[in-house]
Amino acid sequence: MKRVIAIADRAASISLKLLVALNVLFFLSFLAVLLFAAGRAHAEVPTCSGADMLLALQKSSPATYSKIEAEAAATLNGKGLLWKLEKSGEQPSYLFGTMHMTDPRVTTLPPEAQKAFDAAGTLIIETTDVLDKQKMMTAMLKEPDLMMFTDSTTLSSLLKPDEAAAMNAALDARGIPPATVAKMKPWMLSAMMALPACELARQSGGAPVLDVKLAESAKAAGKPVEGLETAESQLRAMASLPLAFHMKGLVDTLKLGDKVNDINETMIVLYQRGDTGMFWPLFRAAMPDEQNDASGYAAFEETMITSRNKVMVDHAEPILAKGNTFMAVGALHLPGPEGLVEDFRKAGYTVTAVGL
């Protein structure tokens, strides 16, 4: 029994990493859903389910839960989704942490954020490429190797027979013919497997994730919408990590099965509470104490969070200088000494949490 629990915990830890990827890499989620919509065999939307893992952990292992809480409390800027940005000579702007999902608990802005968004003259999101599907796909075709194997490699050729069988079973459960993903890079398929079938189905049916909903609302109100990155740059960041790292993540996610519903529910609960500082402690607590995993985690955090935060600040500053801007990016970019809140302070802004 202990071995079964250990395997489940290990799979959960890898899937947490993949879910983190989806919530710091806006375009990956969008593209995975686009491919899912093209390949699925049936259109029914499964019922969403899932339990709060932290609530269960609080009962089963109070010591572990207390450790996670303590680390989260010590995380710099680890509480709050909405932050006011002020700089001498500029009208105040706002920084808001999003979650790239369609769940109504996510897409309904807190009152303070809704007020700031309504009053803003400009919206900034991670990338505007997702707002024009034709333009986005044209750009992607220029670098097909970011998404697909362009040589003789297939996903199945990189998997053991039992792993390939598990992959095909997971695809079948989502109505995706295996042939449609045979040449897909592992992080693309991981994006499909790391989100509940209900979320994938909702998005493929046209329900907008929070970032797109904000962009659509801004455009309808005649407000300009600016982007900080391109789709290519986001995919290049993911592709820069070792293939072995991505294959390991895919295999462990396949092992996870329906437990992905619990992980997503837990992340939504934390997001509602504004506990952005608890995501990483939860992930680290679930992660096995192995050097390979630790080094992979460090490379992931540096590539997908820290480095991109610097780029975001550099690209946002000229837009923020115009004042009265609402900047909405993945919430996991906000906390920590290398997070956006602290990076903006280093750039000369006074940054204050709103609503706490």
Side-chain angles (χ1 to χ4, degrees):
M1 177 60 73
K2 289 184 178 179
R3 177 170 174 76
V4 172
I5 293 172
I7 290 173
D9 287 346
R10 178 176 175 78
S13 75
I14 299 299
S15 291
L16 278 169
K17 183 182 295 183
L18 291 167
L19 285 169
V20 167
L22 290 174
N23 280 285
V24 298
L25 201 57
F26 179 23
F27 182 73
L28 180 61
S29 174
F30 182 86
L31 187 57
V33 168
L34 188 65
L35 293 171
F36 166 78
R40 62 181 180 152
H42 50 77
E44 65 268 18
V45 178
T47 301
C48 292
S49 62
D52 182 357
M53 293 169 62
L54 281 173
L55 187 60
L57 185 63
Q58 191 174 13
K59 295 178 181 178
S60 65
S61 182
T64 301
Y65 181 83
S66 295
K67 181 180 177 181
I68 292 173
E69 270 199 323
E71 189 176 342
T75 299
L76 188 63
N77 311 313
K79 184 74 174 178
L81 296 176
L82 183 65
W83 300 78
K84 189 174 185 179
L85 305 175
E86 297 175 284
K87 198 173 194 179
S88 179
E90 297 179 6
Q91 285 183 292
S93 291
Y94 289 88
L95 171 65
F96 180 70
T98 67
M99 210 174 167
H100 311 317
M101 298 187 73
T102 63
D103 190 290
R105 292 170 294 175
V106 171
T107 58
T108 302
L109 292 180
E112 299 90 347
Q114 186 67 57
K115 181 179 178 181
F117 173 74
D118 291 341
T122 301
L123 172 68
I124 298 175
I125 59 175
E126 289 179 33
T127 176
T128 57
D129 288 355
V130 297
L131 304 179
D132 187 335
K133 293 182 181 180
Q134 187 60 46
K135 179 180 177 182
M136 178 266 295
M137 290 309 296
T138 299
M140 287 297 93
L141 289 175
K142 293 179 181 178
E143 295 189 69
D145 59 319
L146 290 177
M147 299 182 296
M148 313 292 287
F149 291 112
T150 54
D151 54 16
S152 61
T153 305
T154 64
L155 272 176
S156 293
S157 71
L158 300 173
L159 296 170
K160 297 175 182 177
D162 62 323
E163 294 169 346
M167 178 183 72
N168 291 339
L171 290 169
D172 183 64
R174 287 167 168 76
I176 305 172
T180 64
V181 302
K183 301 290 289 184
M184 192 178 291
K185 289 290 178 72
W187 51 90
M188 298 302 305
L189 185 56
S190 293
M192 293 183 187
M193 299 297 108
L195 282 179
C198 65
E199 176 66 21
L200 283 169
R202 276 198 307 249
Q203 290 191 36
S204 68
V209 299
L210 175 55
D211 312 68
V212 171
K213 182 180 179 182
L214 292 175
E216 291 173 345
S217 296
K219 283 182 172 292
K223 301 176 182 180
V225 179
E226 304 281 357
L228 300 173
E229 301 173 297
T230 64
E232 295 98 322
S233 68
Q234 289 200 347
L235 275 179
R236 281 193 207 104
M238 200 67 169
S240 70
L241 296 169
L243 179 60
F245 170 87
H246 288 298
M247 289 305 300
K248 182 178 182 182
L250 174 58
V251 169
D252 284 342
T253 300
L254 292 171
K255 292 178 182 177
L256 185 66
D258 290 341
K259 196 173 179 64
V260 71
N261 297 319
D262 296 339
I263 296 172
N264 274 273
E265 177 65 19
T266 304
M267 292 187 73
I268 290 172
V269 169
L270 288 176
Y271 179 76
Q272 281 187 289
R273 289 168 18 188
D275 284 335
T276 60
M278 193 174 277
F279 285 109
W280 290 114
L282 173 62
F283 166 56
R284 282 190 283 265
M287 187 173 172
D289 187 18
E290 297 179 11
Q291 183 57 40
N292 287 339
D293 283 337
S295 62
Y297 164 80
F300 174 85
E301 188 172 13
E302 172 62 31
T303 301
M304 306 311 301
I305 307 284
T306 305
S307 296
R308 290 176 58 230
N309 284 351
K310 311 300 181 189
V311 173
M312 285 185 181
V313 171
D314 288 343
H315 290 179
E317 281 195 276
I319 306 171
L320 294 172
K322 301 174 184 178
N324 195 29
T325 295
F326 190 89
M327 177 174 168
V329 298
L332 287 167
H333 286 286
L334 304 187
E338 303 293 334
L340 282 178
V341 172
E342 205 59 24
D343 280 349
F344 274 117
R345 287 184 177 134
K346 294 172 186 175
Y349 288 85
T350 297
V351 188
T352 311
V354 178
L356 294 181

